[in-house]
Amino acid sequence: MAQQKSISGKVTSSTGDAMSNVTVVVQGTNRSVATNADGSFTIQAAPGEILLFRAVGSKETLQTVGNGTVYNVILQSTEAALDEVLVTAEFGMKRVARAVGSSVQHIDGETISESGRENFVSALAGRVPGLNVTSTGGAPGSSTTVVLRNITSISGNNQPLYVVDGVPMNNSSFDPIGMAGAGGSTYSVRNLDYSSRGNDFNPEDIESITVLKGAAAAALYGSDASNGAIIITTKKGKAGKGSITYGNYFKWDEAYGYPDMQTKYANGNYGTTNYYYTSRFGGLYPDGMKLYDNIASILQTGAQQRHNISVDAGSEKATIRGAFSQLNQKGVLKTTAYDRTNLSLSGQATVTPYLKFDGSMQYTKTGNDKVLRGTDGPLYRAMLWPIVDDMSIYYAPDGSHMKKPDYYVDEDLLNPLFAMNKNKFFDKSDRFLSNVSMNFTPIENAFLRAQVGWDVGMQTFETSTHPYYANKNAGEGQFNLVQSNFSDPTINILAGYNNKFLQDKLSFSGQVGYHQLENRVTRSATYGTKFLVPDFQSINNTDPLSQTSSQRNTRRRIQALSAQFEFGYNNLAFITLRGRNDWSSTLPVSNNRYFYPAIEGSFIVSDLKFLKDISSINQIKIRGSLAQVGKDAGPLEIDPQLEYSDQSGGGFKYGFTGPNPKLRPEMTTAKEAGVDFRLFNNRLNGSFTYFTTRNADQIVKGFRLSYATGFVLNNMNVGTFKTWGWEAHLDGDIIKQAQGLTWNVGINASQGDSEVLYLPENVTEYYNAYTWNSGNIRNGIMVGNPITTLTGLAYDRNEQGDVLISPSTGLPITKATWSVIGNREPKLRFGVTTALSYKDFRLSGLFAGRLGATVVNGTKRTMMTNGTSWESVSLRESGPVVFKGVLRDGNENTDNPTFNTIAVDYRAYGATTFGGGDEDWLEKDVNYLRLQELRLSYRLPKSLLAKGKVFSAMDIYAVGNDLLTWTNYSGIDAVGNTVSAAAGGTGGEGYDVWSIPNPRGFAVGFSLTLN
């Protein structure tokens, strides 16, 4: 055997730039190193051995060791050879990038793990054009809603399908309506938020994320991908010398942006102090009187810590990776917390040249302590508490009962701190997500892939109301216990063939597949009241005679056949034909089979002769697609669950919702056209896409019927609407120097709109009842208007558009029926990323914002009518006001209407004030910009680490999240959300009703790799 010697050299790109972090492996051994910041490397190898150079975005390069000791290598970018760039598509398969005719975006896993976010879903915000991430709030474990491009369903699921290594991942959020007894009516998606199961996934396990936004790109996944798909590829180990990597961060969160309470006028009425009233229209606080910041008493400094450790090992034929992660979070609201433990094991092996296996398993354990939200939450309750009393002392003198405020004799105030410490809102989950796949290549250019996946979760939800948390301080208490388990097995079998013909001028690839998935939920719920021991939180502590239980088992199964055929000419033009046929168990037998096709094409303009020789153009691709995707119903939507009948003879009956044996699948037809380009030696790249969709046969859940039908609600196909819009992305290296200085800036933007085309003739409006949270404002669906429309009781006006005024009060008159008053969809959504690197230092930032948004300021509306805002002080001190308009005296529509001259004194309204109408509490043209992420990192030089011979890599960093917000909005949260992700449909984005905004976070940490 030849004697090993020290081999050194430098790795550069085709443009001459030094390339760091290039893996250099001696083939057939476990000897490997990574290049330094200047591209240099040193490794032990013997003459005749082969060095393999591998880097993301570059072609693998081989170099045989000879007599020399210095080998400088140039790596060619895969971007320069577009035909070799692969993107992750359906079921973990790869597609040539230049053949893809729809919008696809790739995000590196390192970007997600470095974001400082506790879940990968939130880390996507602002990074992808057309991807909108809305969190329910800033409390630990809050659910998240993701919409790609636009909403496609009025009342169904609008979130994309999450796929991990080819297997769909459950991203559900528990709906409190599933509780038993009175619990199902006490709690809802409006006041109780449960985490999205997508938050379970460990960001450190992610190798890459591919976002398939168009229906054509995700059509083969079927019904669940009708809203697009987010494809996650996990880390599976690296070939070469084994390594152990440890990383952590320690984070502190600070609440900010909360309402400023007026401290001038006390509780009372007509300027007279009286603490019987919760409204603050009393007299002035006496000089020197002690006032308390009760909102501050429910807040604290939040804290997080996360520890990650992973082990990688393997050879060129087999790799394995094991990882452990522990996250502990304490929220900025007292008593809130979130804990998550992740264990994962993954790997891949090439058994023979024609047989390959890979698989992964993730186990997640979570626990979440939460509080109620909205007008049942601590922020609202703290606003009502008199500031002359210290709310932080929440026990009465006896040390057990809930304290009432001093100076106060009424019985309708509840102490939020007593609720936070004595009530219980807790859930826990154990979850396994696993898959194994086999790739068999029996003959050249053909493959057979078989994959089995299983996502199973066991969830427990507990809510408890203390007996003393009651208006009369002597309630009965209540306890809710729900055990909800889900089991989602999947099977995908694919067979395909690809080849080139006619002297490689014509390329062909095709695949056919069989798919089966199942969603099974087993839920048991128990409700009880009349606690026997006040401080014992258990269903066993409730009166057995008060207990009620329910069980609900659902199963949805889809079987499907799919096919895809791709034709290419001269590596220049491509057409892809796709089709899938689904059989769904949740639709009537006569309608449970539905087929949907797709066609997409791409043309590489830059390969044309007149452009090919222009050095500044690297690639220009035009693309387009036309696709349909069907969407089935949910379980028990044809025949709802039967209920026990207490009528004579007993038995079972339908509840409020009737059956519908004629339900049809929704069908989304999507079109898109776009262009992708790379210019100036790949230093500038971008894309632009215009899209339209038509969403027909909408399955509207809980559609209100005439009582003459015998039911109140039904699930029906009753709506059609269309959406359209554009999205754009531009990314460029402003500075790129060989000395190691680079500065990159990326900008993405998107805009969308919609219009309702059809509702039944007798339906003027369909609305989401859970968004009816501020006055009479709600998300209403009306023909001719967007699906994100806000409806309310607008001011009545004459034919000239003047507001009508009451001759008796001088106040504006509101209509008796709902009408359109606004649109929640902003005129523009955008994000800006930037990164400045110099040698081993890197500074990066992420900004996200919106222009021209409309926000419902329900928080300020409540504060105004209760006299707790400074604006209410200004109104009562401003003197009489004359509202602009004309009197409704019979002359309002004549040529000489009577203009209003009646003065209104706000002080005359006693325990309340005129809070205006629904129109007054829509803040329009809201502009918003948030610094979502700022990160500074330093990588210790390898030359320094080599001296200790313990570590091969070490990074130190500091990161901030949600540090600053610039906005002209006057409320708490310009992107407020009034319902949890479990609500589905058009959601509650744009409603600021006692929201808990994301806190300002600061984190420090390090990561290191052991030799």
Side-chain angles (χ1 to χ4, degrees):
M1 181 177 293
Q3 182 69 33
Q4 291 183 9
K5 57 184 177 180
S6 179
I7 304 297
S8 61
K10 185 174 183 179
V11 180
T12 57
S13 67
S14 57
T15 59
D17 297 328
M19 296 185 65
S20 61
N21 292 320
V22 176
T23 301
V24 185
V25 180
V26 180
Q27 277 195 322
T29 74
N30 60 1
R31 280 172 274 145
S32 68
V33 296
T35 58
N36 297 321
D38 61 356
S40 62
F41 71 93
T42 302
I43 194 169
Q44 296 293 315
E49 289 187 313
I50 299 174
L51 302 181
L52 170 66
F53 296 82
R54 182 191 295 126
V56 175
S58 299
K59 298 181 186 179
E60 289 188 354
T61 300
L62 299 176
Q63 175 68 58
T64 302
V65 177
N67 295 326
T69 58
V70 177
Y71 294 90
N72 296 322
V73 176
I74 298 175
L75 294 189
Q76 298 294 328
S77 170
T78 55
E79 296 172 350
L82 187 62
D83 57 306
E84 296 183 11
V85 179
L86 301 177
V87 295
T88 303
E90 293 85 352
F91 312 111
M93 304 299 291
K94 301 289 185 180
R95 292 190 66 194
V96 177
R98 65 168 51 206
V100 177
S102 54
S103 179
V104 177
Q105 187 150 344
H106 177 86
I107 302 172
D108 187 78
E110 189 175 1
T111 301
I112 301 300
S113 63
E114 291 180 350
S115 67
R117 302 289 183 180
E118 61 272 12
N119 70 78
F120 80 93
V121 179
S122 298
L124 294 174
R127 301 186 189 276
V128 180
L131 187 152
N132 179 35
V133 181
T134 305
S135 174
T136 308
S142 294
S143 63
T144 50
T145 300
V146 176
V147 175
L148 288 174
R149 291 185 172 164
N150 272 348
I151 291 169
T152 62
S153 184
I154 290 176
S155 67
N157 179 32
N158 282 295
Q159 299 213 58
L161 176 67
Y162 292 84
V163 182
V164 179
D165 294 331
V167 175
M169 178 180 70
N170 189 308
N171 186 42
S172 60
S173 299
F174 177 65
D175 189 337
I177 200 172
M179 294 178 177
S185 57
T186 302
Y187 305 113
S188 70
V189 294
R190 180 190 285 128
N191 63 1
L192 187 53
D193 175 38
Y194 288 102
S195 181
S196 301
R197 292 275 63 96
N199 296 355
D200 295 343
F201 203 83
N202 181 17
E204 298 290 335
D205 287 339
I206 297 175
E207 179 73 31
S208 65
I209 293 178
T210 302
V211 181
L212 306 179
K213 288 179 281 189
L220 288 189
Y221 274 123
S223 298
D224 292 343
S226 57
N227 311 309
I230 295 178
I231 313 300
I232 301 169
T233 302
T234 63
K235 299 173 182 176
K236 303 220 171 33
K238 300 176 182 178
K241 183 180 179 181
S243 64
I244 301 175
T245 301
Y246 168 77
N248 63 32
Y249 76 63
F250 299 88
K251 188 176 183 180
W252 296 267
D253 292 321
E254 176 189 38
Y256 76 108
Y258 287 85
D260 189 13
M261 310 283 287
Q262 67 94 353
T263 56
K264 191 170 185 179
Y265 291 96
N267 294 49
N269 188 11
Y270 295 109
T272 300
T273 299
N274 184 342
Y275 286 95
Y276 180 88
Y277 294 91
T278 56
S279 298
R280 297 179 194 171
F281 292 96
L284 297 172
Y285 288 111
D287 291 338
M289 189 171 195
K290 175 69 174 179
L291 302 179
Y292 297 89
D293 186 350
N294 289 323
I295 288 182
S297 69
I298 66 172
L299 302 175
Q300 64 184 1
T301 299
Q304 294 183 45
Q305 60 173 314
R306 188 169 74 191
H307 301 270
N308 307 285
I309 185 168
S310 63
V311 180
D312 288 86
S315 65
E316 292 298 316
K317 289 191 175 183
T319 61
I320 190 170
R321 178 180 186 269
F324 168 82
S325 176
Q326 179 67 47
L327 169 69
N328 301 106
Q329 180 181 6
K330 181 178 69 173
V332 294
L333 285 172
K334 289 180 178 178
T335 73
T336 60
Y338 178 75
D339 298 305
R340 185 183 69 211
T341 302
N342 295 93
L343 283 170
S344 64
L345 182 66
S346 58
Q348 55 189 359
T350 302
V351 181
T352 70
Y354 51 83
L355 185 62
K356 180 180 179 180
F357 283 91
D358 64 74
S360 63
M361 185 281 289
Q362 290 93 25
Y363 165 73
T364 305
K365 181 180 182 64
T366 64
N368 191 190
D369 287 293
K370 52 176 60 67
V371 294
L372 293 178
R373 58 191 304 271
T375 53
D376 288 315
L379 189 59
Y380 174 78
R381 297 289 181 187
M383 183 273 298
L384 293 178
W385 200 268
I387 61 174
V388 294
D389 182 75
D390 186 359
M391 192 184 71
S392 65
I393 303 173
Y394 56 86
Y395 278 122
D398 65 5
S400 60
H401 286 75
M402 179 177 64
K403 176 197 171 187
K404 293 296 184 181
D406 294 337
Y407 307 97
Y408 195 77
V409 296
D410 201 1
E411 298 177 343
D412 58 358
L413 280 188
L414 299 174
N415 192 310
L417 280 166
F418 186 91
M420 296 167 77
N421 285 276
K422 306 301 288 185
N423 294 344
K424 183 178 184 179
F425 298 94
F426 175 75
D427 64 273
K428 62 181 180 180
S429 170
D430 291 276
R431 181 190 193 165
F432 294 88
L433 176 61
S434 58
N435 83 89
V436 61
S437 65
M438 176 202 72
N439 290 274
F440 181 55
T441 54
I443 59 175
E444 188 178 4
N445 300 323
F447 73 88
L448 175 66
R449 177 180 173 87
Q451 183 178 54
V452 178
W454 191 25
D455 190 1
V456 58
M458 294 149 283
Q459 307 166 101
T460 302
F461 306 95
E462 297 182 41
T463 68
S464 174
T465 302
H466 195 279
Y468 298 157
Y469 186 69
N471 288 337
K472 295 182 179 180
N473 219 351
E476 297 180 334
Q478 61 173 324
F479 193 91
N480 298 275
L481 175 64
V482 180
Q483 300 281 351
S484 183
N485 302 330
F486 64 83
S487 177
D488 298 348
T490 59
I491 298 173
N492 296 304
I493 301 175
L494 301 171
Y497 178 80
N498 64 86
N499 209 340
K500 292 184 178 182
F501 308 93
L502 303 177
Q503 297 178 335
D504 292 344
K505 289 287 186 180
L506 180 66
S507 63
F508 167 80
S509 68
Q511 69 179 44
V512 294
Y514 168 77
H515 316 282
Q516 179 175 307
L517 65 91
E518 184 175 288
N519 307 117
R520 183 175 182 177
V521 177
T522 303
R523 181 176 299 158
S524 300
T526 303
Y527 168 83
T529 185
K530 298 181 181 178
F531 278 28
L532 304 177
V533 179
D535 287 319
F536 182 31
Q537 297 174 327
S538 170
I539 191 65
N540 297 327
N541 187 42
T542 60
D543 184 349
L545 297 178
S546 73
Q547 294 175 6
T548 60
S549 298
S550 67
Q551 184 174 354
R552 179 182 173 96
N553 299 335
T554 62
R555 182 184 298 184
R556 166 182 176 257
R557 178 178 291 172
I558 286 183
Q559 292 180 305
L561 296 175
S562 69
Q564 172 180 290
F565 303 101
E566 180 182 289
F567 303 89
Y569 174 72
N570 203 28
N571 210 28
L572 177 72
F574 300 86
I575 291 179
T576 303
L577 304 175
R578 294 174 155 187
R580 173 164 164 146
N581 198 102
D582 282 8
W583 288 265
S584 172
S585 67
T586 62
L587 290 170
V589 174
S590 58
N591 293 328
N592 73 347
R593 175 186 178 275
Y594 49 102
F595 172 79
Y596 36 94
I599 181 173
E600 63 178 44
S602 64
F603 186 80
I604 313 303
V605 179
S606 53
D607 279 4
L608 295 175
K609 188 174 182 180
F610 71 97
L611 292 175
K612 203 166 186 178
D613 295 332
I614 301 178
S615 60
S616 60
I617 298 177
N618 299 104
Q619 175 246 322
I620 300 176
K621 179 178 79 170
I622 57 175
R623 50 181 169 76
S625 67
L626 170 63
Q628 279 191 331
V629 181
K631 183 184 292 187
D632 61 344
L636 299 179
E637 290 186 7
I638 306 170
D639 291 299
Q641 181 176 349
L642 296 176
E643 301 176 0
Y644 170 74
S645 174
D646 56 3
Q647 303 298 315
S648 298
F652 293 89
K653 64 176 182 178
Y654 286 116
F656 294 113
T657 303
N660 184 357
K662 298 181 180 180
L663 210 59
R664 302 183 303 277
E666 296 181 5
M667 193 62 69
T668 296
T669 303
K671 304 174 185 177
E672 74 168 79
V675 58
D676 300 329
F677 59 87
R678 294 181 180 275
L679 307 174
F680 308 115
N681 202 21
N682 294 316
R683 288 186 61 172
L684 180 67
N685 66 84
S687 65
F688 178 85
T689 304
Y690 179 80
F691 63 88
T692 64
T693 64
R694 180 182 174 89
N695 308 283
D697 284 337
Q698 289 288 295
I699 299 175
V700 175
K701 302 176 183 179
F703 187 79
R704 191 166 291 275
L705 299 175
S706 165
Y707 290 176
T709 64
F711 297 99
V712 179
L713 306 172
N714 207 318
N715 304 312
M716 303 178 67
N717 298 99
V718 294
T720 297
F721 66 94
K722 65 179 180 180
T723 68
W724 64 92
W726 58 267
E727 56 198 30
H729 170 74
L730 189 65
D731 184 277
D733 291 325
I734 308 301
I735 299 174
K736 190 173 184 180
Q737 297 181 349
Q739 294 84 354
L741 178 64
T742 62
W743 179 31
N744 177 272
V745 176
I747 301 173
N748 68 75
S750 63
Q751 187 272 331
D753 210 342
S754 60
E755 181 184 357
V756 179
L757 301 177
Y758 166 76
L759 287 174
E761 291 184 3
N762 62 336
V763 178
T764 58
E765 177 189 9
Y766 169 78
Y767 63 89
N768 183 341
Y770 290 117
T771 63
W772 197 343
N773 287 340
S774 177
N776 287 295
I777 303 173
R778 61 196 187 192
N779 177 205
I781 309 295
M782 291 184 172
V783 172
N785 294 285
I787 55 174
T788 49
T789 288
L790 293 167
T791 62
L793 300 185
Y795 288 127
D796 205 359
R797 300 174 187 269
N798 65 6
E799 295 174 355
Q800 286 72 41
D802 299 313
V803 175
L804 297 183
I805 306 296
S806 169
S808 59
T809 65
L811 295 176
I813 300 172
T814 56
K815 294 180 179 180
T817 58
W818 274 260
S819 58
V820 174
I821 61 175
N823 179 13
R824 292 180 296 148
E825 182 65 29
K827 296 174 183 177
L828 184 72
R829 302 176 189 267
F830 65 92
V832 179
T833 60
T834 183
L836 179 66
S837 301
Y838 180 69
K839 295 185 178 180
D840 295 316
F841 288 92
R842 188 171 188 270
L843 177 66
S844 61
L846 169 64
F847 297 83
R850 304 175 187 185
L851 297 178
T854 295
V855 183
V856 180
N857 197 339
T859 302
K860 225 169 190 181
R861 183 178 198 167
T862 308
M863 294 180 67
M864 173 70 79
T865 56
N866 279 275
T868 57
S869 66
W870 284 105
E871 287 82 359
S872 70
V873 172
S874 298
L875 284 179
R876 75 185 85 172
E877 293 181 346
S878 62
V881 175
V882 176
F883 289 97
K884 184 179 180 180
V886 298
L887 298 181
R888 190 170 67 181
D889 56 2
N891 297 319
E892 58 268 21
N893 288 315
T894 66
D895 293 335
N896 296 300
T898 307
F899 289 95
N900 179 41
T901 58
I902 303 173
V904 175
D905 192 338
Y906 280 96
R907 292 173 296 179
Y909 286 87
T912 184
T913 187
F914 174 66
D918 290 339
E919 292 181 81
D920 296 318
W921 296 105
L922 297 185
E923 293 198 28
K924 299 185 177 182
D925 294 321
V926 171
N927 301 322
Y928 164 90
L929 177 65
R930 174 175 286 177
L931 177 54
Q932 290 197 168
E933 180 185 327
L934 185 65
R935 189 178 196 273
L936 176 63
S937 64
Y938 173 67
R939 173 163 293 177
L940 273 67
K942 289 186 178 295
S943 57
L944 178 62
L945 297 175
K947 296 178 181 179
K949 298 181 180 181
V950 177
F951 306 118
S952 59
M954 184 172 184
D955 290 55
I956 303 172
Y957 69 88
V959 62
N961 295 117
D962 304 313
L963 297 178
L964 296 169
T965 300
W966 298 270
T967 182
N968 59 349
Y969 178 63
S970 65
I972 300 178
D973 192 357
V975 291
N977 189 359
T978 194
V979 296
S980 79
T986 53
E989 179 189 15
Y991 287 83
D992 178 12
V993 183
W994 297 99
S995 302
I996 303 297
N998 286 332
R1000 181 185 287 121
F1002 307 89
V1004 294
F1006 67 86
S1007 65
L1008 53 86
T1009 301
L1010 279 70
N1011 281 317

